[in-house]
Amino acid sequence: MLVTLSFYIFLILLVSYFSKQGMGLLITLTWWGILNVITYFSLSGLFLLSSETQLVYFLFFAFFVISFLLTEKLLQFIQLKKSNLNFSAYLYRFLSNLTLFVLLPIQLIFTLRAIYLICFVMTPSYYRSDVFGLMTGTSSLFFNSILVAKAHAFIMGPLQFVIFFAGFSYFINRKKKGLLALGTILIVLDALMMFGRFGYHYLILSLVFYFFLSGKIRNLHEKRRVILSTLSFITILLFTVVKVTNNRGDSNFTKIFETYVITYHTESFIIFDTELKNPNSILHEYTYGLSTFGGVERYFIPIINQFGFKWLSQTDIVGGYLHQNFLVGYDEYLKPLLFNAYGSIFFTMYRDGGLIAVSIFGILFGLFFSFYSVSLKSKDPIDFAIFYGLLFILIYGVFQPTVLGPMLPALFILYLSKVIFNAYAKLVH
């Protein structure tokens, strides 16, 4: 445990000393470091992490930090283009109109249907399973249509993160609140539809990240006002999360704390450790990049299958595998702790080629994270949105393989939107 703690402290000090734009990296290292160290205390009865598995985390973060710092030094000799204000304003209007007239009405329809189903058709716990198609293979929310469910996941999933990431960026860099408000509404509506907690978790952490990333709260009066407002909002969100949890059947506060605060934040370390030791695990079936880019790969699978193939996306393969119950420890009464659906981003990275793949992705994450961290100073709203999306992938990668979900496609959409609008601006001018 002391070695692990010392490792993260060393990396944090290294970044603090040598980086001028390393706030995002410091947040990531602190987050993973705290949770990694907590696993050694086995506060809720989880198994202890093996030394061999711990080395995988050391390897990734060592390459991540080295790549980040070297890229930052190289970027000092490259003249980066400044943000086009006309383009930024046009994109803001486009995203706002897209949300108001297309995305929001669609999400409201499904949310109202979800409220109806929960209140009059099925219990909250049954709905939670049904909404993911675990009861019948289809979801009542999406009218028992696989096509509707896939269309919603493929289109609405990434777009809500595009709006949320861009909204957060425009709020910090352009002081525009409208798009962030719309993005927040989309996240809350999705949380209500899926009867989950992650949406509220996104909002709570975003409030915390605002203090670290904005750099605009200077005088004492403003700090007090913002802190009080933030604490009030976080209290409301936490109350909502507890209410949702109680409705699922867990009412004991101690149990809620142990399960949803301690275990849920650390069990992916144990699942990864368990699967590394399991020779029959799909973790050892190397996919050479397809797993880590699974969030994008799944868009091509339906097209490929039109030519007679019967391929499954890595999202379906890994998601289905991680949905089984894993023994992660024993509670104080020696009852087995069985949890599912909680792998981490390390599961997909390792599955792409073992330690070599983990090292390569550490370098790639460091490179791209450093490149887009420049937006902390340049204030480019789209680059900052991509930076914020990468931060989310890394932070929430402790809970699940985030690269298999809608966040990664959202970053591609943001990048392509900037390329397309810049090309259009050159043609016009």
Side-chain angles (χ1 to χ4, degrees):
M1 189 270 287
L2 289 176
V3 174
T4 301
L5 180 62
S6 301
F7 172 79
Y8 285 106
I9 290 175
F10 172 75
L11 291 184
I12 289 170
L13 292 175
L14 193 68
V15 174
S16 301
Y17 185 79
F18 289 104
S19 176
K20 296 180 180 179
Q21 57 189 39
M23 182 54 72
L25 180 54
L26 289 174
I27 291 172
T28 303
L29 290 172
T30 303
W31 173 258
W32 277 89
I34 290 173
L35 296 180
N36 197 169
V37 170
I38 286 176
T39 59
Y40 285 92
F41 292 95
S42 188
L43 296 176
S44 57
L46 296 183
F47 296 136
L48 295 177
L49 199 63
S50 69
S51 301
E52 293 79 7
T53 301
Q54 184 61 67
L55 289 175
V56 179
Y57 293 99
F58 286 171
L59 189 68
F60 173 80
F61 285 110
F63 276 107
F64 186 11
V65 169
I66 292 170
S67 175
F68 183 96
L69 295 176
L70 289 177
T71 302
E72 182 178 342
K73 295 301 179 184
L74 290 174
L75 289 175
Q76 293 177 359
F77 303 100
I78 301 175
Q79 187 68 32
L80 298 175
K81 293 183 179 179
K82 293 185 178 180
S83 174
N84 186 309
L85 294 178
N86 292 329
F87 156 73
S88 298
Y90 181 80
L91 185 59
Y92 184 88
R93 289 194 300 271
F94 173 79
L95 293 176
S96 298
N97 290 332
L98 175 66
T99 307
L100 276 172
F101 300 112
V102 180
L103 305 183
L104 199 54
I106 292 174
Q107 292 296 77
L108 279 171
I109 291 172
F110 284 114
T111 302
L112 291 174
R113 178 169 172 78
I115 293 172
Y116 166 76
L117 290 172
I118 294 171
C119 292
F120 301 106
V121 178
M122 55 188 74
T123 63
S125 58
Y126 186 94
Y127 175 83
R128 174 65 178 173
S129 298
D130 179 79
V131 76
F132 290 103
L134 301 179
M135 307 305 291
T136 62
T138 58
S139 172
S140 300
L141 176 65
F142 300 113
F143 307 98
N144 294 311
S145 170
I146 295 176
L147 183 62
V148 173
K150 283 191 174 182
H152 187 275
F154 277 41
I155 300 171
M156 297 300 297
L159 287 180
Q160 72 178 1
F161 281 108
V162 168
I163 303 304
F164 183 67
F165 294 154
F168 188 84
S169 176
Y170 275 101
F171 176 62
I172 283 185
N173 298 303
R174 296 289 187 270
K175 297 183 179 179
K176 294 185 175 182
K177 302 176 183 178
L179 193 60
L180 177 59
L182 292 173
T184 300
I185 292 171
L186 288 178
I187 294 295
V188 171
L189 290 179
D190 184 73
L192 289 172
M193 284 166 44
M194 310 311 288
F195 206 62
R197 295 176 295 265
F198 267 118
Y200 309 113
H201 203 292
Y202 299 152
L203 300 181
I204 291 171
L205 272 194
S206 292
L207 283 170
V208 175
F209 290 159
Y210 174 77
F211 292 105
F212 293 104
L213 301 177
S214 64
K216 295 177 181 177
I217 305 175
R218 293 184 176 88
N219 64 71
L220 184 61
H221 176 72
E222 186 178 4
K223 281 184 179 180
R224 287 175 178 172
R225 180 178 58 82
V226 173
I227 289 172
L228 286 174
S229 300
T230 301
L231 288 175
S232 300
F233 190 45
I234 288 177
T235 301
I236 294 171
L237 289 172
L238 288 174
F239 175 80
T240 305
V241 172
V242 172
K243 185 66 176 175
V244 170
T245 302
N246 285 338
N247 285 335
R248 289 197 195 171
D250 295 325
S251 56
N252 183 280
F253 183 79
T254 303
K255 183 180 178 182
I256 290 174
F257 181 82
E258 285 187 356
T259 302
Y260 299 106
V261 177
I262 302 299
T263 304
Y264 272 22
H265 284 74
T266 55
E267 65 172 288
S268 68
F269 291 92
I270 309 305
I271 290 177
F272 182 57
D273 182 45
T274 302
E275 291 303 289
L276 271 179
K277 299 171 185 175
N278 178 12
N280 298 318
S281 171
I282 66 168
L283 188 63
H284 305 292
E285 299 172 2
Y286 294 162
T287 51
Y288 306 105
L290 291 179
S291 291
T292 305
F293 291 98
V296 176
E297 176 242 19
R298 65 177 179 157
Y299 286 85
F300 297 95
I301 296 300
I303 299 173
I304 294 172
N305 287 345
Q306 292 298 314
F307 296 96
F309 296 95
K310 295 182 179 180
W311 291 1
L312 289 174
S313 70
Q314 296 305 315
T315 298
D316 293 332
I317 294 172
V318 176
Y321 183 82
L322 289 176
H323 194 73
Q324 66 177 305
N325 282 324
F326 293 90
L327 177 63
V328 296
Y330 294 92
D331 65 13
E332 65 272 26
Y333 305 108
L334 296 181
K335 292 181 180 179
L337 296 171
L338 299 171
F339 289 93
N340 66 356
Y342 272 76
S344 74
I345 195 173
F346 278 86
F347 194 97
T348 48
M349 289 191 297
Y350 192 92
R351 192 166 184 259
D352 275 333
L355 295 178
I356 294 176
V358 170
S359 303
I360 291 173
F361 283 116
I363 294 170
L364 290 176
F365 267 114
L367 190 155
F368 285 109
F369 204 49
S370 183
F371 180 84
Y372 285 104
S373 290
V374 174
S375 61
L376 290 168
K377 291 186 176 181
S378 70
K379 305 300 181 184
D380 184 295
I382 299 305
D383 284 353
F384 189 94
I386 294 174
F387 156 78
Y388 196 56
L390 286 170
L391 180 61
F392 256 56
I393 284 176
L394 290 163
I395 293 297
Y396 286 96
V398 79
F399 298 107
Q400 54 187 293
T402 41
V403 288
L404 295 175
M407 291 186 190
L408 188 61
L411 301 192
F412 275 86
I413 293 171
L414 285 167
Y415 173 76
L416 289 174
S417 67
K418 182 171 183 177
V419 171
I420 292 170
F421 278 111
N422 279 337
Y424 175 75
K426 288 181 179 179
L427 287 175
V428 172
H429 300 290

